[in-house]
Amino acid sequence: MLEKTIERKLVNAVKAAGGMCPKFVSPGMDGMPDRIVLMPGGRIAFVELKAPGKKPRPLQIHRHEQLRSLGFEVFVLDRSEDIPFLMAVFDILVDPAVPSAANNGSLSD
């Protein structure tokens, strides 16, 4: 599965849960996560998307550590099957095997 496919499924899941998941672009600061997850109630997390089995580069790991030291949640996502676990951090439960209004069927492969 391509990274962009996982990214699309994440964006769809966040939108279906009432949140936003814009691309995170930070000019002049390389290594920042790909997406920022903004959920109702002011809940925020950062998500680094990778192709299956790929790992973050050393600079990306450093940025993740910096963000975590500031109290932010940072996730590395390389499988669409892990999206429900990420959403559970926001107390949003989705079943990737069951298409529904809650997940819009976007989490199943």
Side-chain angles (χ1 to χ4, degrees):
M1 175 180 301
L2 297 174
E3 180 179 321
K4 68 180 179 179
T5 303
I6 298 168
E7 185 172 30
R8 187 186 76 248
K9 290 181 180 195
L10 171 66
V11 170
N12 289 342
V14 170
K15 283 182 181 178
M20 297 170 55
C21 191
K23 253 196 197 308
F24 185 62
V25 180
S26 184
M29 186 171 277
D30 293 341
M32 293 298 283
D34 298 309
R35 293 276 176 168
I36 183 168
V37 176
L38 307 169
M39 297 301 287
R43 296 174 296 172
I44 298 173
F46 294 89
V47 180
E48 181 69 48
L49 292 135
K50 292 291 179 189
K54 298 292 182 183
K55 302 294 179 199
R57 296 183 320 270
L59 179 58
Q60 291 174 318
I61 291 169
H62 176 70
R63 294 290 184 227
H64 298 176
E65 290 168 354
Q66 286 181 314
L67 291 167
R68 288 183 181 118
S69 75
L70 293 171
F72 293 105
E73 296 277 356
V74 181
F75 300 92
V76 176
L77 190 62
D78 71 342
R79 297 174 353 121
S80 64
E81 295 86 0
D82 291 337
I83 293 171
F85 301 109
L86 186 148
M87 298 302 288
V89 169
F90 298 106
D91 298 323
I92 297 165
L93 302 177
V94 293
D95 183 347
V98 180
S100 68
N103 67 22
N104 201 19
S106 62
L107 298 180
S108 60
D109 288 332

